[in-house]
Amino acid sequence: MIEVRQLRKRFGDQQVLDGVDLTIEQGESLVIIGRSGGGKSVLLKHLVGLTHPDSGQVLVEGQDIAQLDERELLGVRRKFGMLFQSAALFDSLTVEENIAFVLARERNHTPEEITRRVAEALEMVDLPGTQKKKPAELSGGMRKRVGLARAIIYRPEVIFYDEPTTGLDPVVADSIDKLILRVCNRLRVTSIVVTHDMRSMQTVGRRVAMLHEGRIYATGTPQEMMSSADPVVSRFVRGISDEKEHTF
Amino acid sequence: MVMEVVRSLATQRLSGRDLVAQMYFIGVKSQTVVLVTGAFTGMVLCAQTYFQFHKVKMDTATLAVVSVSMCGELGPVLTALMVAGRVGASMAAELGTMKVTEQVDALRTLAAHPIDYLVVPRVLATVLAVPLLTAESVTMGILSAYLVGVHLLQIDPGYSVVNMLRFTDHRDVLMGFIKSLIFGGIIATTGCYKGMHCGQGAEGVGHSTTEAVVYASIAVLMSNFFLTLLLTRLLALL
């Protein structure tokens, strides 16, 4: 469904992506792991068309979205939903208005239908009754849930998750992981999760791709990655720093 | 950005609700500052003009000078500068914050073009609101000048009003109106552009806010000079 070919992106003198090749099949649950600042989120933004590559292709159902302008991309993005690291809820809107954003703009839904679908989406993310709250009144975990409700309400084919458990306590992080699984299973969507949380990787991933030095360094199941003998993969999944290298 | 806005206006359906919300913020909420500016500008202009004209016994021309100045120059320029300070800064700060908190990216993933949703309502509302605010400011300036001139400085009210109407014609009003339309466009596009292209973090938002006000104010003052030259010649043909 999504195919990335020789994707390259440079910011200043830093080559963030250096020839990424990756294929994502419809319905699969892929987790992209890698070090902080290693280009995971940049890769994700390329997949959604939020960033244009220096070279390479991002094929969505055969169409190279890297060649499309912003207005042409709007149609492609209708297939996508995205949960941002910070949830990126619109501050000025209520939870209900945030979730209903796409439906309200389509103008072919009645207010009753929008209200019903917002309530269903909130039910799915375990936040019923929060329609009238403002984002500022929500905790980090609640904001992520609302962000997910906003991403799923229009039934996208692919949902992208950018560091969905970052900044959350372990219990809330686990509940978000379970929620991602539930959404994936119930809506039968393709899920692409960027994370460096190994527990999250094992919970939500069916396949894992590790981004290292601007390329996909290794792929496999979560179990294969956890038991990998490769020193780079092994050190990363076990969280062992290299004493010769500055990691901060 | 200007081309994108024009293209969006021509091809996309505008949300009336967003436009009304922006008109309320830009137009209604700016009235106090604009009315106070107009009133005190009219009063001080009246007083200064009177002090000079009184020396040559031309007291009754005072209101005419105030009226022509307010309609064609001071009204549009001072209103635009006040709106640039209040609205241009607010636009840059709001859009800049949305950008650094990924809300603009979120909009794009929700298949909404940021120009359509964020920029066009703001630009259109400012272009519509600034002429109305200018008209209020000019009216308040002339009324204030009348009160100061007639009641404080003892200028003859009859001759003053006759002279004011004689020397202020539709070209002065039209010049102010055209200028205020253009100034509205300058303020909104500068504020939105700076917001949408701001740097990272709080520092980036701060810089873009400052630059929005400074650039819009300078652009208003510079364009005012050229517009005066151009419009004076064009309107003379009417």
Side-chain angles (χ1 to χ4, degrees):
Chain A
M1 181 180 192
I2 300 176
E3 193 178 349
V4 180
R5 291 183 189 161
Q6 284 300 301
L7 197 68
R8 286 188 167 78
K9 183 70 179 179
R10 172 184 285 272
F11 292 109
D13 58 358
Q14 190 186 2
Q15 188 73 44
V16 179
L17 302 178
D18 192 15
V20 174
D21 288 300
L22 184 65
T23 302
I24 301 155
E25 301 296 340
Q26 189 158 10
E28 87 165 310
S29 183
L30 173 74
V31 174
I32 301 170
I33 59 171
R35 297 268 296 274
S36 294
K40 303 185 298 295
S41 295
V42 174
L43 174 59
L44 198 69
K45 288 189 173 181
H46 278 89
L47 300 181
V48 194
L50 292 176
T51 306
H52 283 275
D54 296 334
S55 65
Q57 293 180 307
V58 179
L59 302 169
V60 176
E61 293 175 342
Q63 185 181 26
D64 184 7
I65 64 168
Q67 303 300 321
L68 303 180
D69 68 19
E70 186 65 25
R71 233 168 253 289
E72 291 169 327
L73 277 168
L74 296 181
V76 179
R77 291 201 194 109
R78 190 64 181 74
K79 297 172 187 164
F80 301 151
M82 182 157 174
L83 175 60
F84 286 82
Q85 191 172 340
S86 60
L89 301 179
F90 304 128
D91 301 331
S92 55
L93 305 183
T94 62
V95 165
E96 183 173 29
E97 289 166 336
N98 263 283
I99 297 172
F101 187 85
V102 171
L103 302 184
R105 282 178 63 83
E106 285 179 343
R107 298 170 195 268
N108 54 354
H109 304 280
T110 62
E112 294 75 26
E113 184 193 354
I114 292 176
T115 304
R116 179 179 56 75
R117 286 180 65 174
V118 168
E120 282 174 7
L122 280 172
E123 198 77 44
M124 185 174 277
V125 299
D126 300 328
L127 273 183
T130 52
Q131 282 91 331
K132 300 301 172 199
K133 286 184 186 288
K134 283 286 187 96
E137 300 171 56
L138 305 175
S139 67
M142 290 166 85
R143 290 169 69 89
K144 299 240 176 174
R145 286 169 188 272
V146 173
L148 185 53
R150 184 176 68 179
I152 62 176
I153 193 167
Y154 54 93
R155 303 281 191 265
E157 295 170 31
V158 186
I159 301 181
F160 298 90
Y161 301 86
D162 187 8
E163 308 272 13
T165 57
T166 297
L168 303 177
D169 72 58
V171 176
V172 177
D174 184 56
S175 73
I176 294 290
D177 287 339
K178 287 175 178 161
L179 179 60
I180 293 171
L181 265 184
R182 193 197 314 162
V183 167
C184 183
N185 292 333
R186 201 180 289 181
L187 302 182
R188 300 190 183 285
V189 291
T190 307
S191 296
I192 300 165
V193 183
V194 156
T195 187
H196 49 228
D197 179 346
M198 291 303 100
R199 190 169 142 177
S200 184
M201 172 195 83
Q202 293 178 79
T203 308
V204 302
R206 295 288 170 271
R207 186 163 74 97
V208 180
M210 182 174 173
L211 190 66
H212 180 66
E213 294 182 342
R215 295 178 187 192
I216 298 298
Y217 181 81
T219 57
T221 64
Q223 292 73 27
E224 286 169 347
M225 298 300 271
M226 291 305 291
S227 57
S228 172
D230 183 285
V232 172
V233 178
S234 175
R235 270 207 306 273
F236 180 78
V237 297
R238 291 171 204 287
I240 301 167
S241 66
D242 185 345
E243 287 181 6
K244 295 173 193 162
E245 184 187 1
H246 290 295
T247 53
F248 46 85
Chain B
M1 177 175 275
V2 174
M3 290 307 295
E4 280 279 357
V5 170
V6 172
R7 189 160 76 149
S8 173
L9 276 169
T11 59
Q12 304 298 312
R13 192 169 155 185
L14 178 71
S15 162
R17 190 181 156 200
D18 293 342
L19 182 64
V20 169
Q22 290 302 325
M23 282 289 283
Y24 176 75
F25 173 70
I26 296 162
V28 179
K29 293 273 195 176
S30 298
Q31 286 191 90
T32 308
V33 68
V34 162
L35 289 175
V36 170
T37 304
F40 281 90
T41 304
M43 287 193 280
V44 77
L45 183 61
C46 175
Q48 274 295 354
T49 309
Y50 170 80
F51 295 146
Q52 304 310 315
F53 279 14
H54 185 62
K55 295 172 189 169
V56 290
K57 309 289 183 211
M58 284 178 64
D59 304 11
T60 56
T62 299
L63 285 189
V65 171
V66 171
S67 170
V68 171
S69 304
M70 286 300 293
C71 285
E73 298 295 338
L74 291 175
V77 169
L78 291 177
T79 302
L81 291 178
M82 299 313 288
V83 173
R86 186 183 169 273
V87 174
S90 160
M91 283 179 188
E94 187 179 2
L95 300 190
T97 304
M98 286 187 76
K99 184 173 179 249
V100 300
T101 56
E102 294 185 307
Q103 291 179 55
V104 173
D105 281 344
L107 260 184
R108 296 165 69 197
T109 62
L110 295 169
H113 199 301
I115 295 286
D116 301 344
Y117 183 72
L118 296 175
V119 178
V120 167
R122 284 168 173 77
V123 171
L124 197 58
T126 315
V127 168
L128 293 173
V130 171
L132 295 172
L133 291 169
T134 301
E136 284 186 350
S137 171
V138 169
T139 307
M140 183 56 86
I142 293 171
L143 283 175
S144 305
Y146 179 87
L147 291 175
V148 168
V150 171
H151 296 290
L152 192 69
L153 304 171
Q154 307 299 320
I155 303 172
D156 182 274
Y159 279 119
S160 287
V161 171
V162 167
N163 280 336
M164 184 174 77
L165 296 174
R166 190 170 146 203
F167 289 105
T168 312
D169 65 19
H170 63 283
R171 281 174 288 229
D172 299 308
V173 177
L174 204 52
M175 180 184 281
F177 176 72
I178 295 170
K179 279 183 176 179
S180 60
L181 280 175
I182 294 169
F183 294 161
I186 289 172
I187 294 163
T189 48
T190 308
C192 290
Y193 180 85
K194 283 291 166 192
M196 298 293 281
H197 294 85
C198 87
Q200 291 300 306
E203 190 182 16
V205 176
H207 277 306
S208 68
T209 306
T210 307
E211 286 176 0
V213 177
V214 172
Y215 291 165
S217 301
I218 289 173
V220 163
L221 292 170
M222 287 174 70
S223 62
N224 181 54
F225 170 70
F226 295 106
L227 283 170
T228 298
L229 294 185
L230 180 71
L231 291 173
T232 304
R233 296 196 174 185
L234 286 177
L235 294 175
L237 301 173
L238 294 178

